[in-house]
Structure formats: structure tokens, C-alpha cells
Amino acid sequence: MHHRHTLAAVAAGILLIAGTGATLPAGAAAAPAPRSPATATATALVVGARWSGHTTFDRLVIDVRGKLPPVTVHQVRSLHYDPSGKKVPLPGKYFLEIRLSPAAAHDGAGRSVHHGPRLVRIALPALKGVALTGDFEGVVTVGAAFDTEPAFKTLRLHAPERFVVDIAHPVGRRG
């Protein structure tokens, strides 16, 4: 009889702990729960960048394998490589920094999966250069250079996944 009460108390304790979640004291480490392939989320891979000129705008496309992550686009005074901080040698007076996170441009073995150029000068009416400026700690950055202040809009396109920046041609210029 004593054995059954002990077993019941242990079972109740396990259920009580399981019901409260994984509360561990500060500094304690829990083993990660195994994930099945169906529930595992893969990091988005930035596999390329391409561009084209159109009648009234230039288009920059960033190709992604996996689910398109959150993306931010900011105008910056200059472009710098992440994490070194070295200035990116692109011509231009105006720059956009495009940040995809969480994302990577390399596979699990550290090999690059980015098939686009790392740095290229471009002679379109608006877009003057593109560079892969960072692939560090889950953030991929792409920089774009312009001679005139860029007026742009962004699009998220799917199947295949890609992020698009359309940049209006400067007034008075034609593609």
C-alpha cells in the first residue's frame, strides 16, 4: 500500500511540474526539445541579387530560398561591411541599406549560397551599384548606390520568394 501512495505522489508531482511549464532557476540550462522536420523552421537563405532597367524605374530583386524574412530598407550616408565596418567602395552620393533578418547567405557548413555579385557597379538611370555588405549573426545586408536621392517602393513577392525595390528614374532622365 505504501508503494502505491509513493508512486501516486511521484506521478502527481510530474504532472504538476509538466503543467507549470519549464520553470528553471536562473543559470540553469535546459536541453533543447527535439524538433521534428515538420516543425523545424529553417533560416531564410539569401541566394542572389539581380537588377533591371525599365521605362520609368530600375528594379533590384533579392532572391531568397525559404520563407521571406522581415526586411527593412533605410537610406544611409554611406555603406559599410558588416562586421568589419570598412567602407564599401561603390560610387554614389546616396545609399540604401536593405536588411533581411533572420537570414543567412551561407549554409550550415559556412559555404556561401549567394550566387550574385559581391560588389558591382551598374550604369542604369537610377541604380549605380549593388553590394552584399553583410552576412553576420543572422542578418544579411545588401547595399545599393545612387547619384540622386532615391524615390523607391518595395514589394514582397512569393513563389519564388523575393524582395523587390523599385527606384524611380531621376526627373529628366529616360531608361
Side-chain angles (χ1 to χ4, degrees):
M1 183 80 144
H2 183 272
H3 180 65
R4 285 187 186 166
H5 289 298
T6 305
L7 187 57
V10 170
I14 290 171
L15 288 173
L16 181 62
I17 291 170
T20 60
T23 50
L24 298 172
R35 294 190 290 175
S36 70
T39 60
T41 56
T43 299
L45 296 176
V46 177
V47 296
R50 53 197 166 92
W51 51 91
S52 60
H54 297 271
T55 305
T56 58
F57 66 96
D58 296 340
R59 173 169 280 184
L60 173 62
V61 179
I62 299 171
D63 295 307
V64 174
R65 187 181 318 139
K67 187 174 191 266
L68 190 61
V71 183
T72 60
V73 181
H74 295 287
Q75 189 167 332
V76 294
R77 291 178 191 246
S78 59
L79 297 171
H80 297 273
Y81 288 111
D82 183 22
S84 73
K86 291 182 181 176
K87 191 170 182 181
V88 177
L90 276 179
K93 297 176 186 170
Y94 299 90
F95 304 94
L96 292 179
E97 181 181 76
I98 305 158
R99 298 172 54 91
L100 298 91
S101 178
H106 62 278
D107 63 19
R111 293 181 300 256
S112 177
V113 297
H114 186 270
H115 302 294
R118 299 279 174 176
L119 177 76
V120 63
R121 293 173 184 243
I122 300 167
L124 290 174
L127 187 61
K128 299 304 178 187
V130 173
L132 177 64
T133 58
D135 177 17
F136 186 66
E137 294 186 345
V139 179
V140 173
T141 52
V142 175
F146 309 89
D147 286 339
T148 58
E149 188 167 3
F152 65 93
K153 70 177 183 174
T154 63
L155 304 162
R156 296 173 62 88
L157 301 176
H158 308 285
E161 298 292 298
R162 58 213 184 277
F163 185 78
V164 176
V165 181
D166 285 342
I167 310 99
H169 287 171
V171 176
R173 290 191 185 174
R174 294 256 181 237

